[in-house]
Amino acid sequence: MTDHFKGRQFKQSVITFAVGYYLRYNISYRDLVEMMRDRGIFVHHTTLMRWVQHYSPIMRALWRKRRHRRTSKSWRMDETYIKIKGQWNYLYRAIDDQGLTLDFQLRKKRDFNSAYHFLKRLLKTYGLPHRLVTDQYGATLKAIKKLTREGYLHKGVHQCSKYRNNLIEQDHRFIKRQQVRSASYQSTRTAARTLYGIETMHAIHKESRKKLGLFGFSAYQEVEQLLAA
């Protein structure tokens, strides 16, 4: 088991509390500094930022590793807009018909290559779905046609349905709440690491809520359990 906290000045519980609550709730680093100060913990906001940047990719990798492969075979795929340093970028996302997160990826462009590579990775990870629902954006349809020719998808699997795709449109709302925070992103690398951490926490929260109902979720405990795996 890898010790992800070895050599850190602060205890594991302090780091997981800070990282978990920043990624789960729409708060700033300075707000988090005040929350921790009320608990007798004095830490600079730049230290919190370094923790989030360091642990978010680790959390994503561990979540992807533990994500159960026997997922529902009815998927929804779409993308949402994220502004980084004044430029629009695109976060590709996929969920199943239970609302659970399958995968996500930040891309600079909304085009054929972005849709193709995201869908190809999704199919390689989870296998062939029974149904794949998307919007009618031309680049996405072109990517699906190529994947069908290559044998990654079967004919008749893909559907364009605004009604069926409402599920992922509603799921976008959690990410869109981060738009004020995303206005401060100064690089794609920083944005990707933070957004991947936010998406991972959102995915864990949905899985925990499904298992335990509306109660039983604690942001820092979920981070602690994930990083201790």
Side-chain angles (χ1 to χ4, degrees):
M1 181 177 67
T2 304
D3 184 359
H4 299 288
F5 303 93
K6 186 177 181 180
R8 294 287 176 178
Q9 178 183 354
F10 289 86
K11 294 180 180 180
Q12 175 178 333
S13 58
V14 174
I15 297 174
T16 53
F17 172 87
V19 174
Y21 275 82
Y22 179 80
L23 296 175
R24 175 67 191 127
Y25 303 107
N26 191 19
I27 57 177
S28 69
Y29 288 120
R30 296 183 187 277
D31 290 336
L32 190 54
V33 166
E34 291 186 18
M35 290 173 58
M36 299 182 74
R37 186 183 299 131
D38 291 341
R39 291 162 173 79
I41 303 168
F42 298 89
V43 58
H44 199 268
H45 69 274
T46 56
T47 301
L48 299 178
M49 181 186 69
R50 286 195 292 269
W51 287 349
V52 169
Q53 292 293 297
H54 176 76
Y55 285 105
S56 288
I58 296 174
M59 289 170 55
R60 186 197 187 202
L62 293 173
W63 171 79
R64 284 173 60 87
K65 186 177 180 179
R66 85 169 194 181
R67 181 73 170 92
H68 210 295
R69 295 300 178 90
R70 289 187 299 176
T71 182
S72 167
K73 290 298 183 179
S74 180
W75 303 347
R76 312 291 188 268
M77 176 266 186
D78 196 21
E79 64 281 334
T80 188
Y81 301 84
I82 300 292
K83 184 169 284 189
I84 302 172
K85 206 174 181 179
Q87 301 293 323
W88 287 113
N89 288 244
Y90 304 90
L91 185 65
Y92 281 78
R93 310 179 68 243
I95 63 174
D96 64 18
D97 61 353
Q98 303 299 312
L100 300 180
T101 302
L102 297 173
D103 205 356
F104 42 86
Q105 186 177 34
L106 184 65
R107 308 286 298 194
K108 289 185 177 181
K109 297 181 179 179
R110 186 192 184 201
D111 57 11
F112 164 75
N113 285 328
S114 297
Y116 175 79
H117 289 295
F118 177 72
L119 283 169
K120 187 175 182 179
R121 187 176 72 178
L122 187 68
L123 292 164
K124 282 186 173 181
T125 302
Y126 295 103
L128 182 69
H130 297 155
R131 181 184 295 115
L132 173 62
V133 182
T134 71
D135 58 18
Q136 299 185 42
Y137 187 62
T140 303
L141 299 181
K142 183 179 177 181
I144 288 172
K145 288 180 180 179
K146 183 175 181 180
L147 289 166
T148 303
R149 290 196 303 268
E150 294 175 344
Y152 289 102
L153 279 172
H154 292 167
K155 290 183 178 180
V157 168
H158 176 243
Q159 296 180 6
C160 289
S161 171
K162 184 177 181 181
Y163 169 74
R164 290 182 182 275
N165 227 32
N166 278 343
L167 184 63
I168 193 167
E169 292 287 352
Q170 294 298 315
D171 199 63
H172 285 334
R173 290 184 301 177
F174 179 79
I175 299 301
K176 289 180 178 179
R177 286 199 325 224
Q178 313 296 330
Q179 290 289 359
V180 174
R181 178 191 291 179
S182 70
S184 63
Y185 293 147
Q186 295 301 307
S187 71
T188 304
R189 179 177 180 274
T190 299
R193 284 174 173 260
T194 307
L195 287 168
Y196 290 167
I198 291 170
E199 279 279 19
T200 301
M201 281 299 297
H202 186 42
I204 294 171
H205 173 69
K206 289 188 291 184
E207 292 168 9
S208 297
R209 187 175 59 185
K210 183 176 178 62
K211 294 176 182 177
L212 303 173
L214 296 176
F215 304 99
F217 176 83
S218 173
Y220 80 92
Q221 287 178 350
E222 288 290 348
V223 174
E224 196 165 44
Q225 292 175 8
L226 184 64
L227 293 175

